[in-house]
Amino acid sequence: QVQLVESGGGLVQAGGSLRLSCVASGLSGSSYHMAWFRQAPGKEREFVAAISWSGSRKYYAESVKGRFSISRYNAKAPLYLQMNSMKPEDTAVYYCEANPGTYSSNPSWYPYWGQGTKVPVSS
């Protein structure tokens, strides 16, 4: 049984930083792309960042490029999202998701996701 558990969310002021973590279990093999998506109230889930199973390739949404950083030490290690220079528009529930295939920014390609962690950013 695949389980993804996010943590690290919480209230942050604009301009501040936060680091989200995701621990995965039950993923067979190591060839998974991992990603962070987010969903703001009343909006669709949107891509934030993704990382290849080896960690050698990283992808970012334009809206977070230069401010957010996705990382993991190896395919079995926790997944992180370092968020700096945060803005009120970053307010959302952030989801860790896993895709046993190639990279995609489409959330429907990711069959596994966690319960999400809330990140409110105050102005």
Side-chain angles (χ1 to χ4, degrees), residues 47-113:
F47 171 75
V48 175
I51 189 169
S52 63
W53 68 272
S54 66
S56 62
R57 294 186 298 276
K58 300 179 182 181
Y59 312 87
Y60 295 95
E62 283 297 324
S63 59
V64 306
K65 201 172 287 185
R67 300 188 299 121
F68 290 12
S69 178
I70 189 171
S71 65
R72 61 175 174 174
Y73 181 68
N74 57 48
K76 300 297 184 183
L79 177 72
Y80 298 104
L81 183 68
Q82 178 67 43
M83 303 184 292
N84 300 326
S85 303
M86 296 190 72
K87 304 175 181 179
E89 50 263 45
D90 294 322
T91 294
V93 176
Y94 284 72
Y95 296 90
C96 169
E97 306 199 7
N99 172 22
T102 188
Y103 158 73
S104 175
S105 62
N106 187 335
S108 65
W109 282 52
Y110 292 77
Y112 307 113
W113 61 89

Side-chain angles (χ1 to χ4, degrees), residues 4-49:
L4 302 174
V5 180
E6 304 96 334
S7 62
L11 179 64
V12 61
Q13 288 190 330
S17 298
L18 204 63
R19 190 177 80 157
L20 305 182
S21 302
C22 172
V23 176
S25 61
L27 291 174
S28 59
S30 61
S31 298
Y32 280 82
H33 273 78
M34 300 292 294
W36 289 96
F37 286 80
R38 66 187 182 186
Q39 188 165 18
K43 295 188 177 181
E44 294 187 351
R45 190 168 298 192
E46 68 171 356
F47 171 75
V48 175

